[in-house]
Amino acid sequence: MLDLGTSFIASVARDPGAIAIVDGDVRPTYAQWYTRISSAVAAFDELGLRPGDHVITALQNRWEAATIYWACQFAGIVITPVNWRAKSDELDFCIENSEARVVVYEGASAAAVADSSLACNLRRVAVGDQTVGDQQAISFAEITRQVSSDETPRVGSEAWS
């Protein structure tokens, strides 16, 4: 049985020039998206994340959310998507129960992250322009812009996702 990361690599190998995802004007090919996903995996490494660690996302349906998802699949990180409309107390509940080490958020969820009593203790990755006011947040654009070698899946099909 294949793990999800290996199935993604098979899609890249099958047709690297095919459009992989469409989100408005963003239309990367499988090869281009694989490069961005690999960069996110390398950034997770720099943040000290290891297989089995947990990441919370509070994102709408967008290509960045899918990129974080795939990076987690490659790195063996457990992703807990939280509704982007969640309030700070709901976010705190999810952070505590998942033992998350990182929270990824966007403008629509920035207020909940800012008001969260637990998110302030985590590494934060901001998607879009919402780093204003959160000087400790890492920009998603920056982590996917880094040049990284192509990552391979670090876990098998038995790993938690």
Side-chain angles (χ1 to χ4, degrees):
M1 177 177 279
L2 291 177
D3 60 273
L4 291 174
T6 300
S7 69
F8 186 91
I9 291 172
S11 295
V12 175
R14 186 174 43 256
D15 196 353
I19 299 297
I21 189 169
V22 175
D23 183 3
D25 293 337
V26 176
R27 297 168 186 269
T29 65
Y30 276 100
Q32 292 166 333
W33 199 23
Y34 183 32
T35 297
R36 287 184 176 180
I37 292 165
S38 294
S39 296
V41 172
F44 287 163
D45 290 345
E46 290 177 17
L47 292 173
L49 294 174
R50 300 289 172 253
D53 284 344
H54 294 250
V55 169
I56 295 272
T57 61
L59 300 169
Q60 296 181 60
N61 187 16
R62 55 190 304 159
W63 75 269
E64 295 95 339
T67 302
I68 293 293
Y69 168 83
W70 281 110
C72 287
Q73 293 301 318
F74 275 78
I77 296 167
V78 180
I79 185 170
T80 303
V82 175
N83 190 304
W84 59 272
R85 294 180 185 101
K87 304 297 182 215
S88 60
D89 60 330
E90 296 166 325
L91 189 58
D92 284 339
F93 176 84
C94 293
I95 290 169
E96 182 175 11
N97 280 337
S98 71
E99 299 177 358
R101 296 192 53 218
V102 171
V103 62
V104 184
Y105 69 98
E106 63 178 296
S109 54
V113 171
D115 293 341
S116 165
S117 62
L118 298 178
C120 62
N121 299 319
L122 302 179
R123 297 302 306 258
R124 293 175 304 285
V125 176
V127 175
D129 296 329
Q130 52 284 345
T131 56
V132 175
D134 188 353
Q135 301 305 317
Q136 301 301 314
I138 301 160
S139 165
F140 175 84
E142 286 301 315
I143 68 171
T144 57
R145 205 175 289 137
Q146 297 176 17
V147 176
S148 174
S149 59
D150 289 344
E151 293 288 341
T152 56
R154 301 178 183 171
V155 294
S157 59
E158 72 287 345
W160 287 86
S161 173

